[in-house]
Amino acid sequence: FPDENVGDEITQFLNVLFGNVSMFGNVQIDAVDWQKLPKSLFNGPKFGIDGVRELLGIKTRRALSCTALKPLGSDSKTLADFAHAFANGGIDIIKDDHGLANQSSSPFSERLKFCTDAIREANEKTGGNSVYFPNITADGQELFDRYEQAYEAGAGGVLVSPHLTGLAALHQLATSDIPLPIMAHPSFSGSALSLHGNGLNLAFLYGDLWRALGADFSIYPNAGGRFSFTPEQCHAVNDRCRTSDSPFKSVFPTPGGGIQRSTIPNLLKSYGPDTVFLVGGSLYQHPKGVEYASAEIMEILTRKLDN
């Protein structure tokens, strides 16, 4: 198709890229030449790796830690208590589980206040700079309203599932005036992947496309967990998130799903310091509690790697 068919809309770009052809078999999208598209079409992330480090006050080039507040069904006070403990242990980013939305057990506005207050209190005690990323994934205008609410409440960023909200909505968030980084979650994206010969190459989706749309962090299922991604596929995502060949700021690959405390040292050597490690269940399962487990993770990420 001629480049002009794309016009100036992301929805039309996606339509040209993989519209009707998505219903054929054995078609895989591997890459896009971003330089051929109108420069106004994609802006990429607001912050990227360097901007996030500056925002979090991390002056050394080390990997970042992230965990998720859970389980679904917990009330806001329980989730805030976990957030406080994680922050006491030094976890950099404490995000909502992607299943936390606006349920009656923990309404969005209430959870936002409880968790930001809890983490702020912990930071004041420890001198740390942990941040809370609420899940703002929602229908229509509510997505943007929650983004603004998160900023006004003092959140450090937000979690979004762009395949639920719509991919163009991710770009709208990233180009808004609200200065909060965005972490993209892969919920509902599996059907778009070329895992069975038809769809988007997963490195292209989680690395190139989300980066172009404005994600500062790209969560993907790590090898060795409960998903089927191979180490080679994970490295390909990492490379696409950070390559200097892209016209957009580099972003943090954020492997998650089954990462254990015991596997982080090897993953760190393999993936490098420009990575965010998302550790969930492993922290909750620690016999000494989540605060102790969090401190263990931070000790691993802040000590010098052996040459």
Side-chain angles (χ1 to χ4, degrees):
F1 298 114
D3 295 341
E4 291 76 14
N5 282 17
V6 169
D8 60 357
E9 295 174 322
I10 288 174
T11 49
Q12 175 59 8
F13 162 80
L14 295 170
N15 189 30
V16 172
L17 178 72
F18 201 54
N20 282 353
V21 76
S22 68
M23 291 177 276
F24 292 127
N26 300 313
V27 177
Q28 177 174 289
I29 305 299
D30 286 326
V32 163
D33 185 349
W34 304 106
Q35 307 287 0
K36 285 190 175 182
L37 295 171
K39 295 193 185 308
S40 60
L41 189 59
F42 290 97
N43 292 76
K46 288 178 183 173
F47 293 89
I49 290 176
D50 292 340
V52 167
R53 289 192 187 281
E54 183 177 352
L55 189 70
L56 298 185
I58 298 174
K59 297 180 181 177
T60 58
R61 186 168 172 256
R62 66 163 175 84
L64 274 60
S65 60
C66 178
T67 194
L69 296 175
K70 53 181 68 183
L72 189 63
S74 300
D75 61 29
S76 297
K77 175 65 166 57
T78 299
L79 295 170
D81 286 345
F82 277 127
H84 190 272
F86 285 130
N88 277 339
I91 294 293
D92 295 305
I93 298 168
I94 301 155
K95 73 171 187 68
D96 281 344
D97 183 86
H98 75 280
L100 290 172
N102 193 39
Q103 294 92 346
S104 59
S105 56
S106 181
F108 175 80
S109 297
E110 178 186 84
R111 184 174 71 253
L112 176 63
K113 175 173 172 47
F114 278 39
C115 290
T116 50
D117 286 351
I119 292 172
R120 186 182 300 113
E121 179 183 312
N123 287 339
E124 289 171 356
K125 183 177 76 172
T126 65
N129 197 27
S130 299
V131 292
Y132 174 51
F133 280 34
N135 178 28
I136 65 169
T137 304
D139 300 338
Q141 182 59 39
E142 186 65 26
L143 169 71
F144 302 96
D145 292 343
R146 291 184 188 176
Y147 193 34
E148 186 173 355
Q149 288 176 48
Y151 175 67
E152 291 175 348
V158 295
L159 179 73
V160 176
S161 297
H163 291 260
L164 294 174
T165 64
L167 291 170
L170 173 59
H171 193 259
Q172 287 179 273
L173 291 171
T175 53
S176 73
D177 294 333
I178 297 173
L180 284 183
I182 300 169
M183 180 176 283
H185 189 282
S187 179
F188 207 61
S189 67
S191 60
L193 295 176
S194 59
L195 297 177
H196 305 291
N198 187 70
L200 306 180
N201 175 289
L202 64 88
F204 167 72
L205 176 59
Y206 298 134
D208 289 321
L209 185 57
W210 282 8
R211 181 178 177 179
L213 289 167
D216 297 283
F217 306 81
S218 177
I219 298 177
Y220 67 86
N222 189 51
R226 59 189 181 274
F227 300 100
S228 59
F229 286 16
T230 66
E232 292 75 21
Q233 289 171 323
C234 294
H235 280 291
V237 174
N238 295 348
D239 291 343
R240 298 274 190 113
C241 283
R242 300 183 298 218
T243 179
S244 59
D245 294 339
S246 172
F248 312 113
K249 294 176 182 176
S250 59
V251 302
F252 274 112
T254 307
I259 290 181
Q260 305 293 314
R261 300 184 308 276
S262 60
T263 62
I264 287 180
N266 286 335
L267 287 173
L268 183 55
K269 289 181 180 180
S270 180
Y271 290 177
D274 289 329
T275 307
V276 176
F277 292 100
L278 172 53
V279 190
S282 178
L283 299 184
Y284 288 92
Q285 295 160 5
H286 199 292
K288 294 187 178 181
V290 299
E291 182 175 333
Y292 187 94
S294 299
E296 278 192 344
I297 295 293
M298 294 310 299
E299 192 277 327
I300 294 170
L301 296 182
T302 55
R303 72 189 177 200
K304 256 188 179 176
L305 288 175
D306 296 331
N307 292 327

